[in-house]
Amino acid sequence: MSDEPHFLKQATADESETKAMRIARKSATEATLEPLQLGQRVRAIRLSQNLTLEEASKRTGLARSTLSKIENEQISPTFSAVNKLVHGLGIDIPQLFAQPRTGASAGGRRDITRKGEGKPHPTPTYEHELLATQLTQKKMVPFRTRVHTRTFDEFDEWIRHEGEEFLYVLSGEILFYTEFYEPVTLNEGDSAYYDCTMGHALVSTSEQDAEVLWVTA
Amino acid sequence: MSDEPHFLKQATADESETKAMRIARKSATEATLEPLQLGQRVRAIRLSQNLTLEEASKRTGLARSTLSKIENEQISPTFSAVNKLVHGLGIDIPQLFAQPRTGASAGGRRDITRKGEGKPHPTPTYEHELLATQLTQKKMVPFRTRVHTRTFDEFDEWIRHEGEEFLYVLSGEILFYTEFYEPVTLNEGDSAYYDCTMGHALVSTSEQDAEVLWVTA
DNA sequence: AACAAATATTTCTTATAGGAAACAAGAGCA
DNA sequence: TGCTCTTGTTTCCTATAAGAAATATTTGTT
């Protein structure tokens, strides 16, 4: 993992950011990751369940007016509000943060992802490359992951979430830790299927980072 | 800021077992109070990347003070703030919203399939090797397939069934035919996600049989 | 210890989210 | 037509998140 460039630190005169810079930075970041129309998605989900704002309000514990404003993208809900939404209505989590992109027509959907052209999503422990991100509303979420963890200590807690997961080792050797089993070594071509509610974690035991294919449902 | 004095860089299975158990116990007890400790997680991630609040601030575009408050759970960040966090630092999405389910309720199923040890299922066109066959009642059905079809003529009709399918090319080159699209060439590392109700078929265009990984849901 | 530099927290202000209620638009129905 | 019920939007006010700057804390060095 690359460190923060040090040359940033020795700037003394440049330390103070001009207002112009700040504004530029602000609009830059917001431009790149703001097109996240949460509202549209919430409305679509609510309507698909034939719920009125009032009913959705009851389920989520959010005021009718608040829901309306969220759906019309007049406000950016707080984390706790999003949580209520997610749990109140059943919202597909991974999709929430994925870029929507204009999906194909309803009938025969198809999405091709070329090697290395998925959507990168690095984390401290894994380096994910999300596949088939053009399609939303999928049953499965596929991604290719580079495991650069080398010791189990690098995890501060189990990874644990809803659903089931299929794992296939593309290259390298990994140690597959699970909460209720002995850790097991997996080599290229080996695979595993498991309950995600059970804590799990991967560690690369090979020279290079191991690469795995993961599919969650 | 030097690295943590981890004297043993390679964790043996035994040492990790200890840690694994500790974590298991910890998360089990914490499950009682579950106000979704986003802050703790953010802090853990930031520190694991050896970032200061200032550096994290630069990456995320959030004020230093805001980050501090989020980490100390003094505020509930807005959705857009969470987004900046998620993208700025790499945060594992499903983790964020997943209820910290206690391990107790978790049906911890797991099934390992070694390379080549799946259940063979040959057909005239494909040679499937079903994976994770020990487990029943799965949401997904994963299998590794050797494609020895060489021309599209060998299919007398479209393959078509319920559900969605994810396809990943392990080796060789294939031509991916679908009912509503032009056929497309896929090479090793490419992948596709599609509606199975749409007719589909694979043909190997490489010297040897191509190999693909398939997951159906 | 004393100091300086780096890092984190708190305070204060402004911007904005959330909720209650008013308002608007529409759909029956007498 | 007027009335009422339902649903979604808007207004207004309060609660609270976000940012800037001040303050506190930690860390490293002599």
Side-chain angles (χ1 to χ4, degrees), chain A residues 94-105:
Chain A
Q95 310 302 18
L96 256 190
F97 284 83
Q99 308 289 30
R101 296 281 182 95
T102 48
S105 54

Side-chain angles (χ1 to χ4, degrees), chain A residues 77 79 83 107-108 111 113-115 121-122 139-140 144 151 153 160 164 168 181 183 185 190-191 193 195, chain B residues 9 19 36 77 79 90-91 95 107-108 111 113-115 139-140 144 164 168 181 185 190-191 193 195:
Chain A
F79 185 67
N83 250 309
D111 187 355
T113 310
R114 293 297 174 184
K115 183 172 191 173
H121 182 82
K139 288 187 181 175
M140 299 180 283
R144 181 191 171 119
T151 75
D153 291 329
R160 195 205 303 279
E164 300 174 8
Y168 182 93
Y181 298 84
T185 299
D190 293 344
S191 61
Y193 194 109
D195 250 320
Chain B
K9 294 203 168 179
K19 167 130 191 198
L36 199 53
F79 186 67
I91 297 190
Q95 283 275 91
D111 187 355
T113 310
R114 294 296 175 183
K115 182 172 190 174
K139 288 186 181 176
M140 299 180 283
R144 181 190 172 120
E164 301 174 8
Y168 182 94
Y181 298 84
T185 299
D190 294 343
S191 61
Y193 194 109
D195 250 321

Side-chain angles (χ1 to χ4, degrees), chain B residues 104-174:
Chain B
S105 66
R109 308 185 304 163
R110 197 192 71 171
D111 187 355
I112 308 283
T113 310
R114 294 296 175 183
K115 182 172 190 174
E117 309 211 329
K119 195 174 170 192
H121 180 76
T123 76
T125 42
Y126 302 134
E127 194 175 320
H128 301 304
E129 177 194 352
L130 301 176
L131 307 173
T133 47
Q134 317 282 71
L135 280 187
T136 56
Q137 305 283 73
K138 303 190 285 295
K139 288 186 181 176
M140 299 180 283
V141 182
F143 47 100
R144 181 190 172 120
T145 299
R146 175 175 288 274
V147 182
H148 37 63
T149 341
R150 282 303 189 285
T151 74
F152 185 61
D153 294 333
E154 296 173 47
F155 294 91
D156 24 83
E157 58 183 9
W158 285 113
I159 308 216
R160 195 201 305 277
H161 48 93
E162 271 309 298
E164 301 174 8
E165 218 151 40
F166 172 70
L167 163 68
Y168 182 94
V169 181
L170 294 171
S171 71
E173 184 184 81
I174 59 169

Side-chain angles (χ1 to χ4, degrees), chain A residues 37-204:
Chain A
Q37 336 95 301
L38 173 69
Q40 293 180 28
R41 210 155 322 166
V42 171
R43 172 155 293 174
I45 289 166
R46 177 175 64 83
L47 292 178
S48 78
Q49 294 182 297
N50 280 327
L51 298 177
T52 67
L53 281 181
E54 181 58 33
E55 290 164 322
S57 168
K58 284 223 174 64
R59 292 200 188 189
T60 58
L62 290 166
R64 197 161 87 242
S65 56
T66 304
L67 288 172
S68 169
K69 281 181 269 189
I70 289 172
E71 291 190 354
N72 291 308
E73 259 133 37
Q74 294 172 5
I75 63 175
S76 165
T78 58
F79 185 67
S80 69
V82 175
N83 250 309
K84 289 175 185 171
L85 272 180
V86 162
H87 292 111
L89 322 172
I91 296 191
D92 205 9
I93 307 305
Q95 310 302 18
L96 256 190
F97 284 83
Q99 308 289 30
R101 296 281 182 95
T102 48
S105 54
R109 308 184 304 164
R110 195 194 72 170
D111 187 355
I112 306 283
T113 310
R114 293 297 174 184
K115 183 172 191 173
E117 308 211 331
K119 185 162 183 282
H121 182 82
T123 77
T125 42
Y126 303 133
E127 195 174 318
H128 302 303
E129 177 194 351
L130 300 176
L131 307 174
T133 48
Q134 320 280 83
L135 281 187
T136 58
Q137 307 285 70
K138 305 190 283 297
K139 288 187 181 175
M140 299 180 283
V141 182
F143 47 102
R144 181 191 171 119
T145 299
R146 176 176 288 273
V147 181
H148 38 62
T149 341
R150 282 303 190 288
T151 75
F152 186 64
D153 291 329
E154 295 173 48
F155 294 90
D156 30 81
E157 56 182 11
W158 285 112
I159 308 222
R160 195 205 303 279
H161 47 94
E162 274 308 299
E164 300 174 8
E165 219 150 39
F166 172 70
L167 162 69
Y168 182 93
V169 181
L170 295 171
S171 71
E173 183 184 83
I174 60 169
L175 204 47
F176 176 41
Y177 287 91
T178 46
E179 192 172 9
F180 306 133
Y181 298 84
E182 284 290 306
V184 59
T185 299
L186 297 179
N187 282 284
E188 184 261 311
D190 293 344
S191 61
Y193 194 109
Y194 56 93
D195 250 320
C196 306
T197 48
M198 169 175 63
H200 53 283
L202 293 190
V203 165
S204 171

